[in-house]
C-alpha cells in the first residue's frame, strides 16, 4: 500500500528583525537603489507587487493563519490551499487521482492541482520542474523520445520527489535520471501508448452520438403521434377485418378501408423520420486544427495540436495560443495574455520553472511568481519552451469546454406548441368520443327493430368505430411537428448563406422574438481595422486623412488642417525620424502573414501606427528598423500606467526614451512641446489646446494615442532608481517626467457599412440595441451615437458603477440604459440575467472565452466566427461568420419568418380541422347509414398529403423587409392571435356553409333528380350515381377551398396582397402544382380507392367557383377590426364553455375512474425507482469515501515505505 505524501508548508516570514537562528532574515532581498557616477551594486530582493491581491494569476493568497518556526518568529501562511492539502482531490474529482497500472508517479488529478488555482505549494509537492521532468519521463531539452511505446517499468512518487534542494540542478536541464524502458515497435500508430492511456490525447470527446433509433423514439414520444398511432392501429385492424373478415355481398366492391390505417402509419413514419434525421445531423464541432512546434528526440517538429500529449516540450512565440496546460521551462521575457481564460486583462510575466524552484527553496518567492501556463491563453511577447502537464479534458481549456455541454431550455415556441398539442389531443379525443357515443346510442336504439344478420350488425358497429377514429385523425394536426421542423431546417439552411451558422436549431425561432440585443463594439459594430485618420505634430502641424473634408466635423477641431501627406512632408527630417522610431521601435507588433497576405500582427492600435509609418514616414521592414538601432531597455505596456516605452542609443552616444500611450496621461507628464520644429517649454494655453483636441477626437469616436520623448546623456541617468534584478535598467516611473510632447494621433475603427441602418431597422422592429464594450465611456458613447444606439434621453454607464447597483436601481436604469462602457464579462452576464428576469428575450454577442457565461445565459448567444474563441462558439447558439451586426438583423428576420411559418400553418391547419371535423361529424350523425360525406381515404388526402405539402409551402416563404415593421411577440403572447382566430373561424364558417349547402341542397340546386321512381336496378344505379357525383363535388370543392385558402394564409396581417413575393418562392409554386395535379388525378383516376367518380365541365366549374370565393371572403374578413373580432370571439368562447363544460367534466370523471388502477401502478413503479436510485447513491458514496482514503495515491505511486516529509518552505518578504 502506498504511503501518503506529507507536503511541506510554504510560509512567509515577515519578521526580518527576528534574531532567531531559524529565521530567514539573512536572505538578501532585492530593492531599488540609487545610481551614482561611481556606480553601485544592486542588492537582491524579491519584487514587491503593488497588486498582490489582484486576479491576474497570483500564486500566493491572503494571510489566513499564522505559524511559528520558533517562539520568537511569526510565520504567516499565504497559500490559498494549505500545503498539506495541495494534492488532495477536490470533491467529485477523486477518479482523476486513480489510474490502474500507472507507470508514472502522477495521475492526471495531481497535475491538475497545479492550476486549481495556480499553486506553488502543489508545484513544490510535485518536485518542481525537475520532479515533473522525472515523473513525466521526459527531457526538458530533447523532449519525448519518439521510440517510446509501452512503458514497462514504473516510477514511484518517492523516486521523483525525494531529491534534496542541493541535488536540484539550477540549469534548464540537469539530465534525466529516470530511464524509459519501452517495449514494442515505435511506429506512429503505436507511439506513446502508456502515456496516452494515462493522460489521454489533446482532443475533447465527441458528444456521444444518439442512435437513430433513439432519436426516432424521442421524435415519436409526441402526444399527437401517440394518438395517431392508436388511430392507425384501430383503423388498420378494422380495415383488414372489413376486407378479409366478412363476407361480401354480390356485386359489392372490394373494401379498401385498410388503406386508411396504412396511410396513417405512413404519416407517422414520415413525421418521425423527418424529425429524427434533422436531429441526426450533428452540430458542427469547431475544433482547433492547427500545427504547433514541439521538441521530440532533440529535434523541433511541427505537429497537429491534437497530437500534443503530457510530457511534450512545446515552443512558444508571440501570437501563439497555448494548446495545453504546462510549466514554463526557459525563455526570454515571456508575457502572456490570460484574459480569454481568466478574464484578467493584465499581462502575466512568466518565471522559468527552475528559477521559481530556487526562490521557493531560498524562501524568496513572491505572491505573483508565475511559472504556470494556462491553455487557451496567448503569448504577447517573448520566446521560450514549456513542459505540457495537462491536455484535452484534463486541461483548463478542456474543462471549460466540457462544462458548457448541457441541454438547452425549451424555446417559447416549443412550450406553446407543447400546450397546444395537448389541447388539440384532448379536443380530438373528446370529439371522437362524443360522436361514438351519439352513433352508438343510435345503433343500440335501432337494434330491437333490426332484422339484419349478426355479421351485418357487427359491421355497422365497426363502421361507427371507424368514423370515430377518423374524427381523431382529422382533429389532430399531424402536420404541426413536421411544419415546425421543416420551417426551422429551411431557415437554418438559408441563414448559413447569410453568414449565420445556427448551432442550435431552435435558436433562429427564438431570435424572432428577441426584444433586446447586447452587442460588442469592436469588430461587430466597427470594422476592427484601425487606421490613423487625424493628428497633430507639436502644436502647429495638424492633419486629417484627406484634409478637412475627410474627418467629419474637423473644422470644429482646428481651421487649418492639412492632408496627412502634406503635413508629414512639412516636418523636419529630425522630427520624422523621431516619429518613425517612436512607432517602429517602441512596439510589440511584428510583420507576418495572415491568409497568405503580408500584414502587421499585433494589437490593432500598434498595427495602425505601423501602417501609418510605412505609408507616410518611409519606414522599411520592422525587423530592419529595430536591428539598426541599439535598444537598451524596453518598458512593456501596462494597463495601470497605460503606456509603453523603449530606450535607444543614438549615434552621438546619447540615449533617447520613447514613450507612447494614452494621450491624457502622456500630456500630464510633458513639460515641453515641438514648436516650429524645435523644443520649447509648454505653456498652459498650449496644454489646454492639446487637451481640447484630445476631447474633440474622443467625442468623434477616435482613440487618442500620444508620443513623447526625452534625451539623456547616459543610461541609467544619474540619481535614477534602477530595477532590483537589472541595474542597467531604470524604474520607468522615476524617469517618466518632463517629457517632450511629440505627436497626438486619432485612430479610428470605422463603423461597418450598413450598421447604422441595421440599428435603425432593429429599433423600428421594437428591439432595443445596447452597446456593451470594454472601451472608455467617451469613445463608447461617440460610436453609439454615430450608429444610432445612443439617444439624447438614453443612459450611458460604466461597468464598475453598474455592478454596484441594487436590483431595484438596476431595474430602474435598464429601460433607458443604452451604453455599458468599461464593462467586464461578468458585467455583461449580470446585464443579460437581469434583462431576462424582467421578461426580455435577450440576444448577446461575445468573442472571448470569458464571454461564455453571458452567451450561455442569454436566450440567443451570438459568437464571432472570425475573432471568436472555441469556447465562445461552443457556448453560443448562432455563430456570425462575418462578425457583422448586420447579420444579426438577418437572423431576426429569419427568426420571425420561422414564427410566421408556424403561425401560417396553424391558421391553415386549424381551419381545415374545424371544417373537416364538423363536416364529418354532422354528416355522419345525420346520415341514415351513419357514414361521413368524406370517406376515410378522402380525409387522408386532405389531412396527410395536403398537411405535409402545406407545411412545405408555407415554411419556405423567405422574410421580407416589412417583417421588421412590427414589434416582437412577447413570451406570454398566445400562439394563435386574435387576427388568426378571425381568419380561422371566418374561413371555417364559409367552408361549412358551402359544403353543407352542396351536401344537403346540392341536388336541388344542380337539378339532380334523387327520387327513386321505381325499384329497378337501373333506377337504383342512377340515383346512386347522382349521389356519388354529389359527394364527389362536395369533396372536390372542399379540397379546392383548402388550396385557395393556402394563399390567404400567406399573410398574417390585415393587408390584402396575398400574392406578394409568391413569384420568388419556387417551392410554393411547385408544391401547389403538385397539390392541384394530385387532386385532378384523384377525381379522374381515384375511382374505388377514393370512392369518387369523374366530373364533367359544369361540375368542375361549380367546384372551382364555390371554392375561389374564399379569396374575396378573406378580404371581407380583413376589413373587420380586430377589436370587434376579439369581442365576438370571447363571447363565443364563453357560450361554448357554458354548453360544453358539463360534458367535459363528465368525461373527466369517467377518465378519472378508468385511470385509477393505472395511477396506482405508476405510484408503485415510482417508489421502486426511488428506492433503487437511493441505494445506488449510497453505494456510490461509500465507494467514493473508500477511494478518498489515500487521495494523492495512484496505482503507480509509491511502494510501501516510510512517509516522505519534505522540509518546510519559508518565503521571505519585506518587513
Amino acid at each position: 500500500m502506498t504511503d501518503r505524501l506529507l507536503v511541506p508548508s510554504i510560509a512567509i516570514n515577515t519578521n526580518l528583525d527576528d534574531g532567531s537562528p531559524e529565521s530567514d532574515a539573512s536572505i538578501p532581498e532585492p530593492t531599488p537603489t540609487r545610481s551614482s557616477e561611481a556606480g553601485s551594486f544592486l542588492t537582491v530582493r524579491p519584487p514587491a507587487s503593488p497588486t498582490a491581491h489582484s486576479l491576474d494569476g497570483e500564486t500566493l493568497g491572503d494571510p489566513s493563519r499564522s505559524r511559528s518556526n520558533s517562539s520568537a518568529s511569526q510565520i504567516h501562511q499565504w497559500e490559498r490551499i494549505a500545503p498539506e492539502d495541495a494534492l488532495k482531490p477536490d470533491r467529485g474529482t477523486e477518479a482523476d487521482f486513480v489510474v490502474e497500472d500507472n507507470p508514472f508517479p502522477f495521475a492526471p488529478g495531481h497535475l491538475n492541482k497545479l492550476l486549481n488555482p495556480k499553486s506553488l505549494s502543489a508545484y513544490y509537492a510535485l518536485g518542481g520542474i525537475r520532479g515533473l521532468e522525472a515523473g513525466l519521463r521526459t527531457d526538458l531539452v530533447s523532449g519525448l523520445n519518439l521510440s517510446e511505446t509501452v512503458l514497462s517499468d514504473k516510477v514511484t512518487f518517492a523516486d521523483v520527489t525525494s531529491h534534496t534542494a542541493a541535488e536540484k540542478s539550477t540549469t534548464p536541464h540537469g539530465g534525466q535520471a529516470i530511464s524509459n524502458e519501452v517495449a514494442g515497435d515505435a511506429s506512429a500508430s503505436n507511439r506513446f501508448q502508456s502515456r496516452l492511456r494515462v493522460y489521454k490525447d489533446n482532443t475533447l470527446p465527441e458528444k456521444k452520438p444518439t442512435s437513430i433509433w433513439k432519436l426516432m423514439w424521442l421524435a415519436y414520444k409526441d402526444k399527437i403521434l401517440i394518438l395517431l398511432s392508436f388511430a392507425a392501429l384501430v383503423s388498420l385492424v378494422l380495415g383488414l377485418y372489413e376486407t378479409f373478415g366478412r363476407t361480401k355481398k354480390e356485386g359489392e366492391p372490394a373494401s379498401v378501408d385498410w388503406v386508411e390505417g396504412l396511410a396513417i402509419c405512413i404519416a407517422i413514419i414520415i413525421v418521425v423520420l423527418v424529425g429524427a434525421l434533422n436531429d441526426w445531423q450533428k452540430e458542427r464541432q469547431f475544433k482547433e486544427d492547427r500545427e504547433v512546434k514541439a521538441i521530440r528526440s532533440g529535434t523541433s517538429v511541427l505537429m497537429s495540436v491534437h497530437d500534443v500529449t503530457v510530457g511534450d516540450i512545446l515552443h512558444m512565440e508571440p501570437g501563439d495560443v497555448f494548446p495545453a496546460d504546462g510549466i514554463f521551462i526557459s525563455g526570454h521575457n515571456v508575457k502572456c495574455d490570460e484574459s480569454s481564460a481568466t478574464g484578467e486583462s493584465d499581462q502575466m510575466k512568466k518565471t522559468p520553472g527552475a528559477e521559481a524552484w530556487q526562490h521557493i527553496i531560498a524562501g524568496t518567492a513572491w505572491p505573483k511568481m508565475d511559472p504556470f501556463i494556462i491553455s487557451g491563453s496567448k503569448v504577447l511577447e517573448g520566446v521560450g519552451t514549456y513542459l505540457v502537464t495537462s491536455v484535452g479534458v484534463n486541461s483548463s481549456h478542456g474543462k471549460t469546454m466540457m462544462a458548457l455541454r448541457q441541454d438547452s431550455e425549451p424555446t417559447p415556441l416549443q412550450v406553446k406548441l407543447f400546450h397546444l398539442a395537448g389541447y388539440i389531443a384532448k379536443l380530438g379525443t373528446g370529439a371522437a368520443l362524443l360522436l361514438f357515443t351519439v352513433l352508438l346510442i343510435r345503433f343500440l336504439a335501432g337494434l330491437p327493430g333490426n332484422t339484419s344478420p349478426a355479421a351485418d350488425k357487427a359491421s355497422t358497429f365497426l363502421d361507427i368505430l371507424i368514423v370515430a377514429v377518423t374524427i381523431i385523425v382529422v382533429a389532430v394536426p399531424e402536420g404541426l411537428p413536421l411544419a415546425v421542423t421543416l420551417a426551422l431546417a429551411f431557415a437554418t439552411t438559408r441563414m448559413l448563406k447569410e453568414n449565420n451558422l445556427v448551432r442550435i436549431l431552435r435558436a433562429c425561432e427564438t431570435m424572432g422574438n428577441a426584444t433586446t440585443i447586447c452587442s460588442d463594439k469592436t469588430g461587430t459594430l466597427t470594422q476592427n481595422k484601425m487606421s490613423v485618420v487625424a493628428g497633430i505634430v507639436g502644436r502647429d502641424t495638424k492633419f486629417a486623412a484627406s484634409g478637412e473634408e475627410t474627418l467629419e466635423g474637423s473644422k470644429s477641431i482646428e481651421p487649418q488642417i492639412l492632408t496627412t501627406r502634406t503635413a508629414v512632408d512639412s516636418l523636419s527630417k529630425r522630427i520624422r525620424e523621431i516619429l518613425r522610431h517612436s512607432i517602429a521601435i517602441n512596439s510589440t507588433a511584428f510583420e507576418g502573414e495572415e491568409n497568405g497576405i503580408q500584414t502587421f500582427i499585433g494589437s490593432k492600435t500598434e498595427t495602425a501606427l505601423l501602417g501609418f509609418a510605412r505609408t507616410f514616414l518611409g519606414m522599411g521592414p520592422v525587423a530592419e528598423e529595430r536591428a539598426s538601432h541599439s535598444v537598451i531597455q524596453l518598458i512593456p505596456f501596462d494597463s495601470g500606467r497605460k503606456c509603453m516605452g523603449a530606450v535607444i542609443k543614438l549615434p552621438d552616444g546619447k540615449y533617447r526614451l520613447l514613450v507612447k500611450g494614452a494621450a491624457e496621461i502622456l500630456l500630464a507628464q510633458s513639460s515641453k512641446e515641438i514648436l516650429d520644429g524645435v523644443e520649447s517649454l509648454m505653456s498652459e494655453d498650449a496644454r489646454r489646446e492639446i487637451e481640447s483636441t484630445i476631447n474633440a477626437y474622443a467625442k468623434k469616436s477616435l482613440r487618442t494615442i500620444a508620443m513623447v520623448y526625452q534625451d539623456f546623456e547616459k543610461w541609467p541617468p544619474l540619481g535614477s532608481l534602477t530595477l532590483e534584478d537589472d541595474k542597467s535598467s531604470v524604474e520607468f516611473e522615476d524617469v517618466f517626467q518632463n517629457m517632450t510632447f511629440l505627436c497626438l494621433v486619432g485612430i479610428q475603427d470605422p463603423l461597418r457599412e450598413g450598421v447604422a441602418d441595421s440599428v435603425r431597422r432593429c429599433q423600428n422592429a421594437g428591439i432595443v440595441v445596447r452597446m456593451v464594450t470594454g472601451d472608455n465611456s467617451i469613445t463608447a458613447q461617440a460610436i453609439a451615437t454615430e450608429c444610432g444606439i445612443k439617444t439624447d434621453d438614453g443612459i450611458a454607464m460604466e461597468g464598475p458603477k453598474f455592478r454596484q447597483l441594487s436590483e431595484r436601481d438596476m431595474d430602474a436604469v435598464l429601460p433607458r440604459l443604452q451604453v455599458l462602457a468599461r464593462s467586464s464579462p461578468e458585467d455583461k452576464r449580470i446585464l443579460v440575467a437581469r434583462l431576462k428576469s424582467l421578461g426580455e428575450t435577450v440576444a448577446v454577442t461575445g468573442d472571448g472565452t470569458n464571454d461564455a457565461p453571458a452567451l450561455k445565459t442569454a436566450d440567443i448567444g451570438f459568437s464571432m466566427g472570425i475573432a471568436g474563441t472555441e469556447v465562445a462558439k461552443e457556448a453560443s447558439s448562432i455563430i456570425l461568420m462575418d462578425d457583422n451586426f448586420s447579420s444579426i438583423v438577418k437572423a431576426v428576420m429569419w427568426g420571425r419568418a420561422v414564427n410566421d411559418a408556424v403561425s401560417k400553418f396553424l391558421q391553415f391547419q386549424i381551419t381545415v380541422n374545424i371544417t373537416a371535423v364538423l363536416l364529418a361529424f354532422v354528416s355522419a350523425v345525420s346520415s341514415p347509414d351513419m357514414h361521413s360525406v368524406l370517406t376515410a381515404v378522402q380525409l387522408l388526402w386532405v389531412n396527410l398529403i395536403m398537411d405535409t405539402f402545406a407545411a412545405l409551402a408555407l415554411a419556405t416563404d423567405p422574410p421580407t423587409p416589412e417583417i421588421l415593421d412590427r414589434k416582437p411577440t412577447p413570451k406570454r403572447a398566445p400562439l394563435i392571435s386574435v387576427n388568426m382566430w378571425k381568419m380561422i373561424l371566418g374561413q371555417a364558417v364559409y367552408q361549412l356553409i358551402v359544403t353543407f349547402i352542396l351536401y344537403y341542397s346540392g341536388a336541388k340546386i344542380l337539378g339532380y333528380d334523387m327520387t327513386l321512381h321505381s325499384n329497378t336496378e337501373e333506377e337504383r344505379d342512377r340515383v346512386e350515381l347522382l349521389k356519388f357525383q354529389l359527394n364527389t363535388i362536395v369533396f372536390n370543392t372542399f379540397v379546392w377551398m383548402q388550396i385557395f385558402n393556402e394563399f390567404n394564409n400567406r399573410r398574417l396581417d390585415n393587408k390584402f396582397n396575398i400574392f406578394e413575393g409568391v413569384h420568388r418562392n419556387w417551392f410554393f409554386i411547385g408544391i401547389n402544382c403538385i397539390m392541384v395535379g394530385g387532386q385532378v388525378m384523384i377525381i379522374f383516376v381515384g375511382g374505388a380507392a377514393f370512392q369518387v367518380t369523374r366530373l364533367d365541365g359544369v361540375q368542375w366549374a361549380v367546384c372551382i367557383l364555390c371554392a375561389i370565393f374564399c379569396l374575396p371572403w378573406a378580404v371581407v374578413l380583413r376589413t373587420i377590426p380586430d377589436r370587434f373580432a376579439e369581442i365576438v370571439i370571447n363571447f363565443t368562447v364563453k357560450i361554448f364553455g357554458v354548453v360544453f363544460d358539463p360534458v367535459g367534466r363528465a368525461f373527466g370523471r369517467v377518465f378519472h375512474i378508468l385511470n385509477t388502477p393505472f395511477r396506482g401502478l405508476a405510484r408503485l413503479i415510482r417508489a421502486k425507482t426511488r428506492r433503487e436510485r437511493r441505494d445506488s447513491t449510497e453505494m456510490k458514496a461509500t465507494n467514493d469515501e473508500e477511494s478518498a482514503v489515500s487521495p494523492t495515491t495512484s496505482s503507480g505511486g509509491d511502494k510501501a515505505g516510510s512517509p516522505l516529509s519534505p522540509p518546510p518552505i519559508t518565503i521571505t518578504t519585506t518587513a
Side-chain angles (χ1 to χ4, degrees), residues 974-1082:
L975 194 59
I976 304 176
S977 65
V978 172
N979 186 63
M980 290 172 63
W981 276 122
K982 179 179 69 176
M983 298 302 295
I984 289 169
L985 296 177
Q987 287 292 340
V989 168
Y990 172 80
Q991 293 181 16
L992 285 172
I993 290 174
V994 171
T995 51
F996 282 148
I997 289 175
L998 287 174
Y999 182 62
Y1000 291 106
S1001 303
K1004 294 180 181 179
I1005 295 172
L1006 298 175
Y1008 294 167
D1009 184 5
M1010 305 290 289
T1011 305
L1012 190 64
H1013 298 289
S1014 64
N1015 198 24
T1016 62
E1017 185 174 346
E1018 291 79 5
E1019 184 67 11
R1020 288 197 300 270
D1021 290 343
R1022 181 189 66 82
V1023 174
E1024 190 67 27
L1025 178 60
L1026 291 176
K1027 185 179 178 181
F1028 210 35
Q1029 288 179 343
L1030 188 60
N1031 287 346
T1032 303
I1033 290 173
V1034 173
F1035 166 64
N1036 196 31
T1037 303
F1038 180 79
V1039 171
W1040 278 96
M1041 282 193 291
Q1042 312 317 319
I1043 294 174
F1044 289 124
N1045 192 41
E1046 186 185 3
F1047 285 85
N1048 286 328
N1049 289 299
R1050 292 189 71 246
R1051 291 204 80 102
L1052 294 172
D1053 52 22
N1054 286 321
K1055 295 181 181 179
F1056 298 150
N1057 186 6
I1058 60 175
F1059 300 102
E1060 181 181 2
V1062 70
H1063 61 284
R1064 293 192 297 269
N1065 190 348
W1066 291 103
F1067 281 98
F1068 187 88
I1069 296 172
I1071 290 168
N1072 275 274
C1073 289
I1074 294 174
M1075 291 166 63
V1076 170
Q1079 180 62 19
V1080 172
M1081 288 181 63
I1082 286 173

Side-chain angles (χ1 to χ4, degrees), residues 171-190:
T171 60
H173 174 63
Q176 176 60 272
I178 304 298
S179 63
N180 282 354
E181 295 183 11
V182 299
D185 176 27
S187 62
S189 60
N190 296 328

